[in-house]
Amino acid sequence: MTQLFLRTLRDDPADAEVASHRLLVRAGYIRRQAPGVFAWLPLGLRVRRRVEAVIREEMHAIGCQEVHFPALLPREPYEASGRWEEYGDGIFRLKDRKGADYLLAPTHEEVFTLTVKDLYGSYKDLPLSIYQIQDKYRDEARPRAGLLRGREFSMKDAYSFDVTDEGLDVSYQAQRDAYERIFSRLGLDYVIVQADAGAMGGSRSEEFLHPTPIGEDTFVRSAGGYAANVEAYRSVAPAAQSLDGHPSAEVIDSPQTPTIATLVALANEKRPREDRPWTAADTLKNVVLRLTSLDGTKELVVVGLPGDREVDLKRAEVAFAPAEVAAATEEDFAAYRGLVKGYIGPWSPSGAVLGKGSSTGIRYLVDPRVVDGTTWVTGANEHEKHVLGLVAGRDFTADGLADIAEVREGDPAPDGSGPIETARGMEIGHVFQLGRKYAEALGLQVLDENGKLVTVTMGSYGIGVTRILGVIAEANHDERGLVWPRNVAPFDVHIVATGKDAAVFDVAETLVSELEGAGFDTLFDDRPKVSPGVKFGDAELIGVPLIVIVGRGAAEGRVEFWDRRTGERDEIALHEVLDRLRDAPQ
Amino acid sequence: MTQLFLRTLRDDPADAEVASHRLLVRAGYIRRQAPGVFAWLPLGLRVRRRVEAVIREEMHAIGCQEVHFPALLPREPYEASGRWEEYGDGIFRLKDRKGADYLLAPTHEEVFTLTVKDLYGSYKDLPLSIYQIQDKYRDEARPRAGLLRGREFSMKDAYSFDVTDEGLDVSYQAQRDAYERIFSRLGLDYVIVQADAGAMGGSRSEEFLHPTPIGEDTFVRSAGGYAANVEAYRSVAPAAQSLDGHPSAEVIDSPQTPTIATLVALANEKRPREDRPWTAADTLKNVVLRLTSLDGTKELVVVGLPGDREVDLKRAEVAFAPAEVAAATEEDFAAYRGLVKGYIGPWSPSGAVLGKGSSTGIRYLVDPRVVDGTTWVTGANEHEKHVLGLVAGRDFTADGLADIAEVREGDPAPDGSGPIETARGMEIGHVFQLGRKYAEALGLQVLDENGKLVTVTMGSYGIGVTRILGVIAEANHDERGLVWPRNVAPFDVHIVATGKDAAVFDVAETLVSELEGAGFDTLFDDRPKVSPGVKFGDAELIGVPLIVIVGRGAAEGRVEFWDRRTGERDEIALHEVLDRLRDAPQ
């Protein structure tokens, strides 16, 4: 430690919101260079290398081969895939001295695809899985939480190439299994949740989430094993009911119904139901959204959903991607006439209002719960008028579904495995069947067994290397500092020499040599004029899990063995140190 | 090889100028993504990792600690050092979504300096040497020759921090020694040449050049051990002579002297010298240059040099850096009156023309050979007039020296070690005493032993990792392919199974297992339907130096051992393979 480029800090960095950020900076692992951009000091780099080693071993074990692609890439392939536009402000773009457009790659689907296209041409060349551990760039609007959301960050990204869907399933499963082993070895809790393939256009997509209250993602799970992120949750539609036997719809005056509760009360007063009273869940709320497609085209859509639920904008973004979603503005209402604000409904006394062939022609989508035969209280699209008992499938028909209502604890899991609960998680990995989207966009085809050109099907598999380092730190700390799992700690053991007695330092140094010789990476606190208290404080902050204190007892061959994780300290004989290290739990 | 992500190519890439580029692409090591930007395929990445390992070991051996800094960095520190401007078009600049300026770092002096400033504050913390192996960016005007001049490239850059000049010398020497070991281990010839510190403002600077005809640098060396790049060569000034005893200068009409030769002939005719005839070396050629400083200020200077030498523009660039140098244009002559083009000289019949207090006031610099007492034939600054016998120090005085004349074979080495010869080389390393320039610009001070703040002195040490890989390939190939030195080859041994006999493949596979078990990284050509000729061709192209052919003799326990370097192939017993590998020369 007299040599190590390290300075532990007393004070928390001003911008640190979470413990991992605070402690990694204070303990001298990383140092901020710009928002979301960090330098890695020796301790941090050591942990990073150990995390990378685990990932490399597991990639190697499934035959996934390492390559290394540039961060600086030309615009054209990203133009061809559509991502140059899709990323909006989210990527760093730049020009070279000749004015050619470049980007700093956020991920590398395009150039991996093109390289395979350049080199391979036959089904015999496949399957192929290749990966890299490489620095990536995203111009995050709000870089935060240290390593948890950075703008320059290291990722392991792998890509698989197969001829058949079944081949893709095998490649996907191999990566998924490797991810399970990687996170287990890193001591990281995870939940595998279904994710929405969204605009990427793939078929199967799962995220590895580490459950943590500081997670940026909300996910749902059931006791019966279902798990999905909120965007991927599919609402359960009730069975369709008969269209017959419902009384006809009735238009009522509703001047004093500023809220759903007042509307429900009015409905129960005007036309009480026999079986049960009207509730908010029986009202059909019609939300007007403006969609802006990538080419700038704007469209209004109306989504009908049960009045007891709000629209979840994140779910809406995924459902409508790559279009952008926003609430309609006054200007929109002015431009698209025919919608009576506050009283919007699919039907009015003068006929159909929304959907194909209606008076507005505006596309009408409904929540999956709005199945045929359900009856609703909703706007009559006339000022101060609602309609009671409007029957889906009889009185109105939607153009399609929009599953964008908020998800609630207690909602049923779509696989019938019981009610769901919600939790927060941090994405630490993502496995993704891209299918043929990129191969089609970039023309990656190979000859099949019959000499016919077929488009290759792909998978993409990512782990945020620097992010999981932050997540490990977050999951392994206490109020005094970091407490690393043994297999990612920057050193295997931390030897602290205390006091001023040169003989003690000699004993410590001999011990260090012995441990290094036995293959233990050893951090030696050899600082001559630093008090034991400061040394112990630094040791706790740095968080090497196993510590040996060489102090006054050294003359009699006694040292203290300190497990940072349990806090246990006990005196042992010098010659026992090696065995204790070997026997200590992972 | 049935699994490896590799496709060897028959044809040379269209843009390849040099053998290393051609072969590294054809043999499947690298793949172009944009001008000067390459992807690393599995074979290339393996070589790169081996080169890096050698560098890391030698850095570790001198106590230089590894860190990792971002490529994406904010403008401010580079603004403070002046490099944001100095680099001109040579760096990639970009803006983030908030409009803040960033660059892709070409090297990291600034942020290393600031990080040491952040963390350290006392002389006791120093000396410190830290390094990284990291991807760097330069927007080269003409990226060329594959890995030899790229726009995204990997560099090992190290920085040392010392309190005293003597400390810097020690840190510098340690790096210099490490570089010698690194290049020796990589089997790379090198010459250490003095380099010009130039605009970087340091004191000592040496380049490691690999002598090669395709090198971009010219260097000079003497048999007595002097070596310098051409920009750093210092011309040897003759001893000053007496100003007395020279006849007075004489103005002559010189209407028909379009060349130096005609002028010399005229001089010898008009006023023959007693000791020897006038030669071109006795004419004083006055070259008008325009200097443009970083802030855009323009200045004309005139440089007088012997007429038998041209200005070397690269030497001039270094001599006048950071100002830009160009030949004066017609506009310059029009703007700066008083210079009679074609007849410029420091003196005219009406008095001093150049220098302080002269008729033009333009700064006048001379070649070091223009010492006091030398006599010259030069322009009289009047149309069709020259002057003979103008004596330096008597008839004109320069404002200073400009050592920018071309260097020639046979010129004396400045250290008296004999005449020099010139050669071409490729820069593979650079060690550089930065001194206090960056520490001053960025305020890096520490308390010394007396509690006084002192500015730290720094060194900077670079090796182009990807470039030296290209240089190694360039130095180790023949017409059939690459021929790697053993310690950087992508594999230790290449096993080629030939024929269609399954038993042969079984023997080969057993051998592969045995060799892998013994710690030899083995490339196994297990392709079942590829002819021996194609396999041998690929093996030669890929260039693993030791090859074992398992063919028909396998049944009798015989294989062929093939040294790719010497071309020798001899039959040996299977059980001898391991010993042959162990005994093969490096």
Side-chain angles (χ1 to χ4, degrees):
Chain A
M1 283 185 71
T2 52
Q3 306 297 320
L4 186 65
F5 182 41
L6 169 71
R7 174 77 2 115
T8 56
L9 308 174
R10 270 166 185 273
D11 298 321
D12 288 335
D15 59 341
E17 302 157 16
V18 298
S20 60
H21 185 189
R22 208 159 59 226
L23 293 171
L24 287 168
V25 171
R26 279 189 49 209
Y29 285 73
I30 58 172
R31 192 91 195 141
R32 180 183 180 281
Q33 301 294 311
V37 179
F38 289 88
W40 292 74
L41 304 181
L43 287 183
L45 193 57
R46 281 176 158 267
V47 178
R48 191 167 154 176
R49 293 280 180 263
R50 285 190 149 181
V51 171
E52 290 170 358
V54 169
I55 294 172
R56 284 202 170 91
E57 282 170 23
E58 295 297 343
M59 287 296 108
H60 185 73
I62 60 167
C64 191
Q65 300 175 58
E66 189 171 4
V67 296
H68 184 83
F69 273 62
L72 180 68
L73 285 172
R75 169 178 179 158
E76 291 71 22
Y78 288 81
E79 184 89 48
S81 72
R83 292 210 297 168
W84 177 268
E85 299 292 337
E86 271 168 37
Y87 263 103
D89 282 346
I91 52 170
F92 290 101
R93 295 179 182 81
L94 66 160
K95 284 181 189 295
D96 73 2
R97 60 161 72 211
K98 292 181 176 162
D101 282 320
Y102 284 80
L103 55 75
L104 299 181
T107 57
H108 283 70
E109 280 80 358
E110 288 83 352
V111 286
F112 273 66
T113 306
L114 285 174
T115 303
V116 173
K117 177 186 173 182
D118 274 357
L119 297 179
Y120 278 1
S122 160
Y123 74 97
K124 292 183 212 156
D125 298 325
L126 304 183
L128 171 72
S129 286
I130 46 183
Y131 80 100
Q132 61 179 353
I133 293 180
Q134 191 257 5
D135 285 335
K136 304 235 171 310
Y137 296 86
R138 291 195 196 152
D139 196 358
E140 295 286 352
R142 280 169 297 280
R144 62 177 282 271
L147 301 179
L148 299 183
R149 181 167 291 279
R151 298 199 297 170
E152 175 176 305
F153 55 96
S154 170
M155 224 176 118
K156 186 286 298 183
D157 49 328
Y159 305 90
S160 68
F161 300 85
D162 280 277
V163 177
T164 64
D165 294 347
E166 297 70 35
L168 171 57
D169 283 340
V170 171
S171 300
Y172 179 92
Q173 191 64 39
Q175 288 281 346
R176 191 180 188 276
D177 292 347
Y179 278 34
E180 295 212 55
R181 288 191 294 271
I182 289 166
F183 296 128
S184 299
R185 286 179 63 181
L186 296 175
L188 264 178
D189 280 347
Y190 63 89
V191 180
I192 303 177
V193 304
Q194 293 174 24
D196 196 284
M200 302 285 270
S203 44
R204 194 171 168 199
S205 170
E206 290 170 293
E207 285 173 5
F208 288 73
L209 297 183
H210 171 73
T212 165
I214 63 158
E216 298 186 321
D217 293 316
T218 304
F219 67 99
V220 298
R221 55 179 161 188
S222 73
Y226 172 79
N229 75 23
V230 157
E231 289 77 24
Y233 172 81
R234 292 289 159 265
S235 303
V236 177
Q241 296 164 32
S242 169
L243 299 181
D244 302 329
H246 299 283
S248 50
E250 177 187 352
V251 176
I252 56 168
D253 287 328
S254 54
Q256 302 291 330
T257 53
T259 62
I260 291 198
T262 50
L263 176 63
V264 168
L266 183 68
N268 281 318
E269 179 195 321
K270 292 264 184 180
R271 184 162 156 179
R273 280 163 59 131
E274 282 172 15
D275 47 349
R276 57 177 181 82
W278 298 103
T279 68
D282 298 309
T283 66
L284 183 64
K285 177 158 67 178
N286 293 291
V287 178
V288 188
L289 299 174
R290 185 182 49 190
L291 308 184
T292 309
S293 68
L294 285 178
D295 65 7
T297 318
K298 288 182 178 19
E299 180 199 359
L300 281 203
V301 295
V302 177
V303 178
L305 69 165
D308 62 335
R309 288 183 192 255
E310 298 300 326
V311 165
D312 178 327
L313 239 125
K314 278 190 155 181
R315 281 167 56 79
E317 275 166 15
V318 170
F320 292 114
E324 276 185 31
V325 186
T329 61
E330 290 299 333
E331 289 73 36
D332 291 321
F333 279 103
Y336 290 75
R337 283 167 303 170
L339 295 180
V340 181
K341 209 182 158 188
Y343 300 92
I344 297 170
W347 175 93
S348 80
S350 45
V353 175
L354 298 164
K356 254 184 255 164
S358 68
S359 62
T360 64
I362 293 174
R363 201 144 60 96
Y364 187 54
L365 307 174
V366 293
D367 184 90
R369 294 169 191 85
V370 185
V371 293
D372 277 2
T374 49
T375 60
W376 301 92
V377 176
T378 189
N381 213 49
E382 290 190 5
H383 188 62
E384 300 193 343
K385 289 200 190 307
H386 278 85
V387 53
L388 300 187
L390 201 68
V391 176
R394 183 189 74 177
D395 301 325
F396 68 97
T397 312
D399 297 310
L401 294 179
D403 193 6
I404 63 174
E406 60 181 319
V407 181
R408 295 210 200 112
E409 303 241 349
D411 283 346
D415 63 356
S417 62
I420 57 166
E421 55 166 24
T422 64
R424 305 287 289 173
M426 178 67 70
E427 183 184 341
I428 52 176
H430 195 166
V431 289
F432 198 155
Q433 296 196 352
L434 295 174
R436 298 184 169 80
K437 178 187 151 149
Y438 285 93
E440 260 159 23
L442 298 160
L444 171 55
Q445 296 187 308
V446 294
L447 292 171
D448 71 7
E449 293 180 42
N450 307 313
K452 216 184 83 204
L453 276 174
V454 291
T455 300
V456 168
T457 183
M458 294 169 52
S460 142
Y461 316 94
I463 288 181
V465 176
T466 42
R467 172 183 282 188
I468 60 175
L469 196 149
V471 171
I472 295 170
E474 193 70 37
N476 296 278
H477 76 273
D478 60 23
E479 70 281 5
R480 296 184 305 284
L482 297 158
V483 192
W484 295 105
R486 285 186 74 181
N487 54 353
V488 295
F491 290 91
D492 297 314
V493 56
H494 187 159
I495 307 294
V496 180
T498 63
K500 291 173 187 175
D501 186 351
V504 166
F505 281 74
D506 289 345
V507 170
E509 204 161 320
T510 307
L511 178 62
V512 169
S513 304
E514 184 195 352
L515 298 182
E516 287 274 346
F520 289 92
D521 276 342
T522 306
L523 176 61
F524 178 24
D525 194 345
D526 59 344
R527 291 176 293 176
K529 289 179 185 167
V530 173
S531 74
V534 169
K535 288 185 173 183
F536 298 158
D538 278 346
E540 289 184 301
L541 182 58
I542 291 169
V544 175
L546 302 174
I547 305 164
V548 178
I549 303 165
V550 183
R552 268 171 300 188
E556 293 85 48
R558 311 291 300 170
V559 295
E560 250 187 296
F561 192 88
W562 179 8
D563 191 320
R564 169 78 179 89
R565 300 166 297 183
T566 60
E568 271 175 50
R569 286 164 74 149
D570 52 329
E571 207 179 56
I572 62 172
L574 246 180
H575 63 81
E576 291 173 310
V577 170
L578 208 48
D579 282 341
R580 281 296 290 267
L581 287 176
R582 288 191 176 125
D583 297 344
Q586 265 307 322
Chain B
M1 284 182 72
T2 52
Q3 306 296 319
L4 187 64
F5 183 40
L6 169 70
R7 173 79 0 115
T8 57
L9 307 174
R10 270 165 185 274
D11 298 320
D12 288 336
D15 60 338
E17 303 158 17
V18 299
S20 59
H21 185 187
R22 209 159 57 228
L23 293 171
L24 287 168
V25 171
R26 279 189 47 209
Y29 284 74
I30 58 173
R31 192 93 195 139
R32 180 183 179 279
Q33 301 294 311
V37 179
F38 290 87
W40 292 75
L41 303 181
L43 287 183
L45 192 58
R46 280 177 158 265
V47 178
R48 191 167 155 175
R49 294 279 179 264
R50 284 189 149 181
V51 170
E52 290 171 358
V54 168
I55 295 172
R56 283 202 170 92
E57 281 170 27
E58 294 298 341
M59 287 297 106
H60 186 74
I62 60 169
C64 191
Q65 301 174 59
E66 188 171 4
V67 297
H68 185 83
F69 274 62
L72 179 70
L73 285 171
R75 169 179 180 156
E76 291 71 22
Y78 288 81
E79 183 89 48
S81 72
R83 292 211 298 167
W84 177 267
E85 298 292 337
E86 270 168 38
Y87 263 102
D89 282 345
I91 51 170
F92 290 100
R93 297 179 180 81
L94 66 159
K95 286 184 189 290
D96 73 2
R97 61 161 72 212
K98 291 180 177 162
D101 282 319
Y102 284 80
L103 55 75
L104 299 181
T107 57
H108 284 72
E109 281 79 358
E110 289 83 352
V111 286
F112 273 67
T113 306
L114 285 173
T115 303
V116 172
K117 177 185 174 183
D118 273 357
L119 296 179
Y120 278 0
S122 159
Y123 74 97
K124 291 182 212 158
D125 299 324
L126 304 183
L128 171 71
S129 286
I130 45 183
Y131 81 100
Q132 61 180 352
I133 293 180
Q134 192 257 3
D135 285 334
K136 304 237 172 308
Y137 296 86
R138 289 193 198 154
D139 196 358
E140 296 286 350
R142 279 170 298 280
R144 62 176 283 272
L147 301 178
L148 299 182
R149 181 166 292 278
R151 298 201 295 172
E152 174 175 307
F153 55 95
S154 169
M155 225 177 118
K156 186 286 298 185
D157 49 327
Y159 305 90
S160 68
F161 300 85
D162 281 275
V163 177
T164 65
D165 294 348
E166 296 71 34
L168 171 57
D169 284 340
V170 172
S171 300
Y172 179 92
Q173 191 63 40
Q175 288 280 346
R176 192 180 187 278
D177 293 345
Y179 277 34
E180 297 214 53
R181 288 191 295 271
I182 288 166
F183 296 127
S184 299
R185 287 179 62 183
L186 296 175
L188 264 179
D189 279 347
Y190 62 90
V191 180
I192 303 177
V193 304
Q194 294 174 25
D196 196 285
M200 302 285 271
S203 44
R204 194 173 168 198
S205 170
E206 288 169 295
E207 286 172 5
F208 288 71
L209 297 184
H210 171 71
T212 165
I214 62 158
E216 298 186 321
D217 293 316
T218 305
F219 68 99
V220 298
R221 55 179 161 188
S222 73
Y226 171 79
N229 74 24
V230 157
E231 289 76 26
Y233 172 81
R234 292 288 158 263
S235 303
V236 177
Q241 296 163 34
S242 169
L243 298 182
D244 302 331
H246 299 282
S248 48
E250 178 187 350
V251 174
I252 57 168
D253 289 326
S254 54
Q256 302 291 332
T257 53
T259 63
I260 292 202
T262 51
L263 176 62
V264 168
L266 183 69
N268 281 318
E269 178 194 319
K270 292 266 185 179
R271 185 161 155 181
R273 281 162 58 133
E274 284 171 16
D275 49 349
R276 56 175 181 83
W278 297 103
T279 68
D282 298 310
T283 65
L284 184 64
K285 177 160 66 181
N286 293 289
V287 178
V288 188
L289 299 174
R290 184 184 48 189
L291 308 184
T292 308
S293 67
L294 285 179
D295 64 8
T297 316
K298 288 181 181 12
E299 180 199 359
L300 281 203
V301 296
V302 176
V303 177
L305 70 164
D308 63 335
R309 289 185 191 254
E310 300 298 327
V311 166
D312 179 329
L313 237 123
K314 277 192 155 180
R315 279 167 57 77
E317 275 166 13
V318 170
F320 291 115
E324 275 184 32
V325 187
T329 61
E330 292 299 333
E331 288 75 37
D332 291 323
F333 281 101
Y336 290 77
R337 282 166 304 169
L339 295 179
V340 181
K341 209 182 159 190
Y343 301 90
I344 298 168
W347 174 94
S348 80
S350 47
V353 175
L354 297 165
K356 257 184 250 163
S358 68
S359 63
T360 64
I362 293 174
R363 201 145 59 98
Y364 187 53
L365 307 173
V366 293
D367 184 90
R369 294 167 192 85
V370 186
V371 294
D372 278 2
T374 49
T375 62
W376 301 92
V377 177
T378 189
N381 214 48
E382 291 190 4
H383 188 62
E384 300 193 345
K385 289 200 191 306
H386 278 85
V387 55
L388 301 185
L390 201 69
V391 176
R394 183 190 74 180
D395 302 325
F396 68 95
T397 311
D399 298 310
L401 295 178
D403 193 4
I404 64 175
E406 59 180 320
V407 182
R408 294 210 201 113
E409 303 244 349
D411 283 346
D415 63 357
S417 62
I420 57 166
E421 54 166 24
T422 64
R424 307 284 291 171
M426 178 66 71
E427 183 184 339
I428 52 176
H430 195 167
V431 289
F432 199 154
Q433 296 196 354
L434 296 173
R436 297 184 170 81
K437 178 187 152 148
Y438 285 93
E440 260 159 23
L442 298 161
L444 170 56
Q445 296 188 308
V446 294
L447 291 170
D448 72 6
E449 294 180 40
N450 308 313
K452 216 184 82 202
L453 275 175
V454 292
T455 299
V456 168
T457 182
M458 292 169 53
S460 140
Y461 316 95
I463 288 182
V465 176
T466 44
R467 173 183 281 189
I468 59 176
L469 195 149
V471 172
I472 294 170
E474 194 69 36
N476 297 278
H477 76 273
D478 58 24
E479 69 282 5
R480 295 185 306 283
L482 297 158
V483 193
W484 294 105
R486 285 187 71 180
N487 55 354
V488 295
F491 290 90
D492 297 315
V493 57
H494 187 158
I495 307 295
V496 179
T498 63
K500 292 174 186 173
D501 186 352
V504 166
F505 281 75
D506 288 346
V507 170
E509 203 162 318
T510 307
L511 177 62
V512 170
S513 303
E514 184 195 352
L515 298 181
E516 287 275 346
F520 288 92
D521 277 339
T522 306
L523 177 59
F524 177 25
D525 194 344
D526 58 344
R527 291 177 291 175
K529 290 178 185 168
V530 174
S531 74
V534 169
K535 287 186 174 183
F536 298 158
D538 278 346
E540 288 184 300
L541 182 59
I542 292 168
V544 174
L546 302 175
I547 305 165
V548 178
I549 303 165
V550 184
R552 270 169 299 188
E556 292 83 49
R558 310 293 298 170
V559 295
E560 253 189 291
F561 193 87
W562 179 9
D563 191 320
R564 170 80 180 88
R565 300 165 298 183
T566 60
E568 271 175 51
R569 286 163 74 150
D570 51 332
E571 207 179 56
I572 61 171
L574 247 179
H575 63 81
E576 291 173 310
V577 171
L578 208 48
D579 281 342
R580 282 294 292 268
L581 288 176
R582 288 192 175 123
D583 296 344
Q586 265 306 321

